[in-house]
Amino acid sequence: MSNQSAVSPETLQALVDSVYADLAPRRGEGAVADYIPQLARIDPQKFGIAVATVSGEVIVVGDAREAFSIQSVSKVFTLALALGKWGDGLWKRVGREPSGTSFNSIVQLEQERGIPRNPFINAGAIVVTDLLLAGHQPREALGEILRFIRFLADDESIVVDSAVAKSETETGFRNQALANYMRAFGNLHHPVDLTLGVYFHQCALALSCAQLAKAGLFLANGGRLPKDGSVVSRERARRINALMLTCGHYDASGDFAYRVGLPGKSGVGGGILAIVPGQAAIAVWSPGLNKNGNSLLGTLALEMLAQRAGWSVFGA
Ligand code: GLU
């Protein structure tokens, strides 16, 4: 059972609207990620919030029905898939500790002999993708990821933005370095270009806030979708939430836990997925990032919404 306050759909809509109205004048703050050229083209004024509740409502405001590049938020879904395939054997190749370093840091990888700190930094997510590639062609592995997301969001219209994937394939030099490093340590089992091909495409999944909140809802609902049954076990959902809380925001994970108090995962496209156990999944999108690479307005929106709704995993 959850100790979160239950909030009626009408109250929730009013809260989401109030957060949006308070923050709308600040749209455009932060810096849009430009190391992936295609992401630099996004309108920094975009701002949307969606809340999917365990009782089946989806509450939206702003640009919450417009698809954006979910980037690293995809790492939550590939982790759930890979755990389904490999179980706890996955943890032989990836750790479960916060990194305290930036999302694409290579320093720790050298010191720790090619075993990434956690599945939510780039190196760790690349290993998770490598695990999903086992026994498959890249196209099949990507198909499996896409089918999983469509199933979770109950939406067959979700696609990968191939222009974003191409853009990152052409400029992902750091990720190539990370992947080559891990391959040298024996922690990448497929050719670097194949694993990265899948990784770049999974990062280029395009979802709206409404779709993303629905896709994340199983993590708020004991591993189950409200209508389609079990996705992962209750225990596994708890553990994924624990990793999101401790590792979901790179070197700002502690700050996010302090300010928002909910498990969350951010992406450089400006999206964040946050989980209110027993209640709801929240997705926010605002492309301007703070210095840690997390959505500036998105984090603020989650902080305000969690506070106004009385949501926190740290107490009522
Ligand atoms: N595709 C991005 C990268 O690997 C994801 C980073 C992020 O969203 O944090 O650089």
Side-chain angles (χ1 to χ4, degrees), residues 73-88 90-91 119-120 125 127-134 136 138-152 198 202 205 215 218-219 231-233 236-237 240:
V73 186
S74 66
K75 295 170 182 175
V76 173
F77 303 107
T78 49
L79 176 65
L81 259 186
L83 282 170
K85 200 164 165 175
W86 290 89
D88 285 342
L90 180 145
W91 302 118
F120 293 152
V127 169
V128 169
T129 303
D130 194 61
L131 284 159
L132 289 176
L133 198 46
H136 291 302
R139 186 176 292 276
E140 294 164 352
L142 184 64
E144 188 182 8
I145 297 167
L146 186 57
R147 272 195 304 282
F148 185 52
I149 297 267
R150 286 175 171 172
F151 161 70
L152 293 174
V198 178
Q202 98 190 27
L205 275 159
F218 73 102
L219 292 170
V231 179
V232 298
S233 68
R236 185 160 288 161
I240 294 172

Side-chain angles (χ1 to χ4, degrees), residues 173-184:
F173 307 117
R174 253 183 183 265
N175 285 324
Q176 281 162 18
L178 292 170
N180 275 297
Y181 225 83
M182 293 190 291
R183 182 103 165 131

Side-chain angles (χ1 to χ4, degrees), residues 35-36 39 69-75 103-104 120 122 126 164 168 172 174-175 178 199-200 203-204 250 265-270 292-294:
Y35 75 100
I36 301 173
L39 291 185
S69 192
I70 67 167
Q71 292 295 319
S72 282
V73 186
S74 66
K75 295 170 182 175
F103 67 100
N104 55 8
F120 293 152
N122 282 12
I126 292 168
V164 172
E168 191 170 6
R174 253 183 183 265
N175 285 324
L178 292 170
Y199 172 77
F200 291 146
C203 288
Y250 310 115
K265 181 72 203 87
S266 70
V268 293
N292 299 107
N294 301 309

